[in-house]
Amino acid sequence: MKALRTAVVGVGHLGRFHAQKYAACSDLQGVFDQDPERAAAVAAELGCIAFPSLEALLAQVDAISIATPTSTHCQVATAALNAGVHCLVEKPFTLDLAEAEYLEELAARVGKVLAVGHIERAHPAIRTLRERGFGAPRYLEAERLAPFKPRSLDIDVIMDLMIHDLDLTLWLSGEALQDIRAVGVAAVTDKADMANAWVTLDSGAVANLAASRVVREPVRRMRIFWEDRYASVDFMARQLRLVERGGGSVPGIPGVAEQVLELPAEDALEFEVRNFLGAVLGREMVLCSAREGRHALAAALGVRAAVETFLQGKEAG
Ligand code: NAD
């Protein structure tokens, strides 16, 4: 991986972390940001070039991360793919499905890797659960609550936060969404800042997902129920508890065993970046393909449409 020439476009809050990971495991050439001071600061930190333009950057690299606002992902990824550069695009993949389909087809046509940064797939707890191969869950519930930050305001809380849990629901269950009911409200911005979705999958399984970007205390949790076991994931505490029928006993519940599982140490972004570079080298499948990124986006747009239907109903009533 050290031989791959890499760069990051957009080095705000998240892009700087991408650049740090590339510096550690590849030949980081440099960064580009429309804010030259920001680019210069990150380039100085990591000992790389602050490129004067996107075109100058693309001429020097094999693979990039795109961590600009969502509204610019399609334009930046189009330029990169046309220049023959592999792309890891931050989530949400794009603003709409037409952009997502366009990029998916373009990447296939030019034969370059196009991955989407659904980073919770790389969370040590989720990786551990996937490795155990428990099959499709019957019921999932998730809470993803964050304090307000003046970032990602080009998108609503569904595209900003809930999309992580929609993606995990689809990925863990291997199913398509069948029905979506949702409520949501704008609190601080002109878009939904809080939402709750009740989603049915083809198998009949159900996911109940809550997201907010206007709370005081952050929470990122998911509970996943199968026929005879239940997993509780605390993404922030990096903790995975597994409760299963049989074996030992949980006080007060006979015949039920509980364990806190040991998790791999490697952090999620490092895992995601290494996976992307492994895919560029043809050694592994990307953790989240453009197709899967499009499916998560479609689910998020479905929730948004359900929220709009709910709000119209309230107005009409
Ligand atoms: P940010 O505002 O901190 O950073 C965005 C940077 O992009 C800024 O420095 C800005 O100057 C730069 N920029 C804007 N347009 C540009 C362009 N056309 N070319 C080059 N640079 C440009 O935002 P952020 O919080 O770092 O979010 C960036 C992306 O990452 C968004 O798509 C967001 O949804 C995503 N994100 C993902 C996660 C996650 O959990 N995977 C978390 C946070 C943000």
Side-chain angles (χ1 to χ4, degrees), residues 154-166:
D154 57 335
I155 50 179
D156 58 27
V157 72
I158 303 155
M159 296 271 270
D160 187 7
L161 299 182
M162 189 184 283
I163 196 167
H164 285 293
D165 298 312
L166 287 164

Side-chain angles (χ1 to χ4, degrees), residues 8-18 32-36 38-39 54 66-73 75-76 89-93 117-120 144 149-155 159-161 163-164 220 269 272:
V8 178
V9 180
V11 280
H13 175 73
L14 199 61
R16 174 170 162 260
F17 295 125
H18 277 258
F32 170 66
D33 195 293
Q34 71 174 19
D35 173 352
R38 181 71 190 168
L54 177 61
I66 299 172
T68 55
T70 307
S71 48
T72 66
H73 287 181
Q75 173 215 332
V76 177
V89 181
E90 260 307 334
K91 55 59 51 186
F93 184 17
H118 276 290
I119 195 166
E120 296 294 36
R144 194 168 289 267
K149 294 184 202 80
R151 295 199 312 264
S152 296
L153 301 185
D154 57 335
I155 50 179
M159 296 271 270
D160 187 7
L161 299 182
I163 196 167
H164 285 293
R220 277 161 40 205
L269 186 57
E272 181 183 83

